[in-house]
Amino acid sequence: MRDTILSVIIVVNILCGVLVYFMPDLGNVILLTIASAVTLLAIYDAFLQKKHSLMRAFPVVARLRWIFEEEREKIQQYFIEDDLNGKPINREKRSIVYQRSKEEIETVPFGTQHNVYRKGYEFVKHSLFPKDHHHINGERVLIGSDKCTKKYDASIINISAMSFGSLSKNAVMALNQGVKMGGFAHNTGEGGISPYHLQGGDLIFQVGTGYFGAGRSLNGKRVFDAEIFKKNAVRPEVKMIEIKLSQGAKPGHGGILPAKKNTKEIAEIRSVEPFTRVDSPPAHDAFSNFEEMIVFIQQVRELAQGKPVGIKLCVGDNDEVEEMIKAFAKANNYPDFIAIDGGEGGTGSAPLEFSNYIGTPLLEGLSFVNKTLIKYGLKKQIKIIASGKAIDAFDVIKYLALGADVIGMARSFMLSLGCIQARECNLDTCPVGVATQDKDLVKALVVEYKNVRVKNYHKKTLNAVKEMVAAMGKESITEVEAKHIFRRGKDANITSLDKIYYAESEVLVN
Ligand SMILES: Cc1cc2nc3c(=O)[nH]c(=O)nc-3n(C[C@H](O)[C@H](O)[C@H](O)COP(=O)(O)O)c2cc1C
Ligand code: SF4
């Protein structure tokens, strides 16, 4: 095959040479130049380079494969995928975020594209006496146990953790400004608080195992530093503290900041070496068992002058999680909230196996934590924040029905900023300036336009939640329970989620 390809290329090159000899105009000269460049490339591919066998066997032609491989995602997205099969977030869901963010028409024509008879199809039942959605309440929740003195009146939808470093400064600014306009909260992510977070919006200050903004390096280890933490925690913008144990996309693995994205500015904020890959350790240095964890939570709460303190985790071993909740009950001291991230959660960068095969999916993790809190009498003290591909109002309602008090959303807010799901967040080449530190690409995201989109998406999604709840004949979002959501099993077998996720003996009173 190699010889045939080379022969064709050389013959074309000779023909171009003959053409120029008899008709030496500009067009033909350009043609000859291109043909000669292709010939040289073919010789390089076939004889000089030794790394790629495919290119040696199929000179030049094999390069098309590389181009298609590179552009596969885009080709798939633009030409192949339909509304329901894009991954990880399908086109229908992405479109509703874009429409709500831009305040565009958000109705659909002709009828559902979903197959309502397929196994796994989910729906809620409406009432013959729907309510007026303008009068639905329950869109805010007070977070703070009896151990906390500065409870936070939270929206039921907030921005889940994403750091400056993972996201660009313009993305962080637009998120925080949108949060300020809309009256909800923005989780800093484990990268600490940057100037871009301080745009006046409410913050949830996340403390990860790298203790960025909450610690320092000591003998090659990152350790918690009470003074550094306190300086950030008492800022008026900080309304709650979240201690990150794990996240769904890489449970048991610390955060990863790729070297390319670790700019001088980010390195300074995190007190690390610039342009090196920064791996946070998998576990905290400040505690190594539940008793120490409880002491640490209390210490953090006191340093934060009584603000609510929570933990974020993806459920792993159920027994271990139950042990933890049991320890909270025994010590009569606990976090003010538990943020549960599903195994389907997003990330800027994670090892494949961790993303694909570690961590309990949200519905199982959430219902397990909910019933365990009820079992140990802690449901009233500890609020649950759930995150894992919550995009539209149905997702929100489903997670609330299964026991969440508040929903965290990360990728949908990225979409509201203009993310096109190019999935290059770990490469520093994000084409829309959301997840990159490349100065030119960052400029693509204009804060003054995108902040409004963040606000709009939040407001419109909340409105859609109220409309659904009103259609169900309820007066408050808090009235929706797992028994109101239904899933098709085999054939005509339709079961409510309380039967699937909660055994009959388990009390489901919040
Ligand atoms: C770009 C990006 C960065 C993230 N950074 C963090 C982080 O710093 N800390 C954390 O706990 N989770 C982080 N996450 C996980 C999200 O906070 C969230 O838990 C997860 O993506 C599930 O929400 P989603 O499905 O709405 O995206 C990140 C997710 C994304 C997409
Ligand atoms: S556009 Fe692509 S690279 Fe940019 S944030 Fe979205 S998924 Fe990540």
Side-chain angles (χ1 to χ4, degrees), residues 19 24 97 123 146 159 167 211 227 246 253 271 301 306 314 345 390 392 408 428 458 465 491 502 508:
L19 205 63
V97 179
F123 62 103
D146 56 3
I159 302 180
L167 300 189
Y211 301 116
E227 277 315 302
S246 58
H253 198 291
S271 326
R301 192 185 277 126
C314 173
D392 61 20
D428 205 32
H458 175 267
V465 169
D491 302 326
Y502 296 97
L508 271 182

Side-chain angles (χ1 to χ4, degrees), residues 348-411:
S349 177
L352 178 92
E353 290 83 354
F354 281 73
S355 258
N356 286 353
Y357 308 112
I358 306 190
T360 307
L362 182 61
L363 296 184
E364 284 77 14
L366 167 61
S367 50
F368 176 73
V369 171
N370 187 40
K371 59 191 169 197
T372 312
L373 287 178
I374 293 166
K375 181 172 166 187
Y376 290 94
L378 290 177
K379 178 67 183 165
K380 285 205 161 63
Q381 299 293 345
I382 304 177
K383 294 285 185 276
I384 297 180
I385 302 178
S387 53
K389 285 171 100 172
I391 312 276
D392 61 20
F394 179 67
D395 301 326
V396 172
I397 285 178
K398 187 164 74 174
Y399 297 163
L400 294 177
L402 277 171
D405 300 284
V406 169
I407 307 301
M409 295 182 180
R411 283 167 292 181

